[in-house]
Amino acid sequence: AVKEAKGTGKPLFVFFYVPQEGPPREPCGLEGRLLRSHGLSDSKVIELIKAHCVPVKIQLKKGEDYPIEWPALKKWATAYKFSNGRGFTGCSVVSPDLAIEFGNSGSARISEMLGAPAFNPKEFLGMLVRAMERVNEERSIRVQSRISEEERKLELERFRKGVTRAVQSEGRRG
């Protein structure tokens, strides 16, 4: 998936979950099943992901560290560490260079089900649309022909800092 993202320039859409014994065939915990049946089952959400992202699922294992060491997912690794592997699931839109998160579902805990964007298809779609707007804005910075490489580098750095602040702010609201 990473190789495809780097080759196409598409961001990764990452769904991570902790497995649980029993049905369905993909035995993620209740939170993961609810996230899939609410946020990820909307036809507009599915369309957007298929058209503009490289989807990838990451299975987390209780008692083990977060298996991905991408800078973009650093906060998820920390959150997972403190969750004790219980009820942990979420989604992120990650840059092809794995350095930045353009958007995320926020936590998907049962205790937050009534207010969590992860379980609301309309809010989930809104997060994806904002993430794709950020992806497109970064692409436009990368192809600007009227700026020097040094200016481009500085502009990308400023842009990514702003995106990180925005994503963190959105996560606190969710």
Side-chain angles (χ1 to χ4, degrees):
V2 171
K3 187 176 180 180
E4 181 181 343
K6 287 179 180 180
T8 63
K10 290 182 178 182
L12 291 146
F13 176 81
V14 183
F15 169 59
F16 44 88
Y17 64 96
V18 175
Q20 179 176 304
E21 295 295 320
R25 275 180 273 191
E26 182 181 46
C28 59
L30 180 58
E31 292 83 356
R33 289 195 299 265
L34 288 170
L35 189 147
R36 281 200 332 240
S37 66
H38 291 281
L40 290 174
S41 65
D42 183 79
S43 62
K44 290 178 183 174
V45 167
I46 294 166
E47 246 177 71
L48 196 148
I49 293 169
K50 284 183 176 180
H52 300 287
C53 300
V54 177
V56 63
K57 287 186 252 181
I58 299 174
Q59 187 179 77
L60 307 173
K61 295 187 173 114
K62 288 182 183 180
E64 292 184 17
D65 289 339
Y66 197 80
I68 305 297
E69 294 184 19
W70 303 344
L73 298 180
K74 191 174 184 178
K75 78 170 188 81
W76 288 113
T78 302
Y80 180 64
K81 181 179 180 176
F82 291 105
S83 76
N84 295 321
R86 297 183 63 223
F88 195 84
T89 192
C91 298
S92 285
V93 179
V94 175
S95 62
D97 67 0
L98 314 175
I100 187 168
E101 186 178 48
F102 289 113
N104 68 60
S105 65
S107 63
R109 295 185 198 117
I110 296 297
S111 61
E112 300 169 346
M113 185 169 178
L114 296 176
F119 301 122
N120 181 320
K122 192 174 185 176
E123 289 185 39
F124 199 94
L125 180 61
M127 175 277 294
L128 286 173
V129 167
R130 287 188 304 277
M132 294 317 301
E133 288 169 350
R134 293 167 181 150
V135 167
N136 289 332
E137 191 171 339
E138 181 170 296
R139 285 178 181 151
S140 70
I141 294 168
R142 290 186 182 282
V143 297
Q144 284 181 23
S145 59
R146 298 191 197 306
I147 62 173
S148 70
E149 281 305 310
E150 187 175 316
E151 290 171 315
R152 183 182 334 279
K153 184 178 176 182
L154 289 172
E155 184 63 27
L156 283 168
E157 190 176 307
R158 279 193 295 272
F159 173 74
R160 283 185 162 199
K161 282 181 183 178
V163 167
T164 299
R165 282 191 302 273
V167 171
Q168 288 171 344
S169 175
E170 290 165 3
R172 283 191 291 275
R173 281 191 304 241

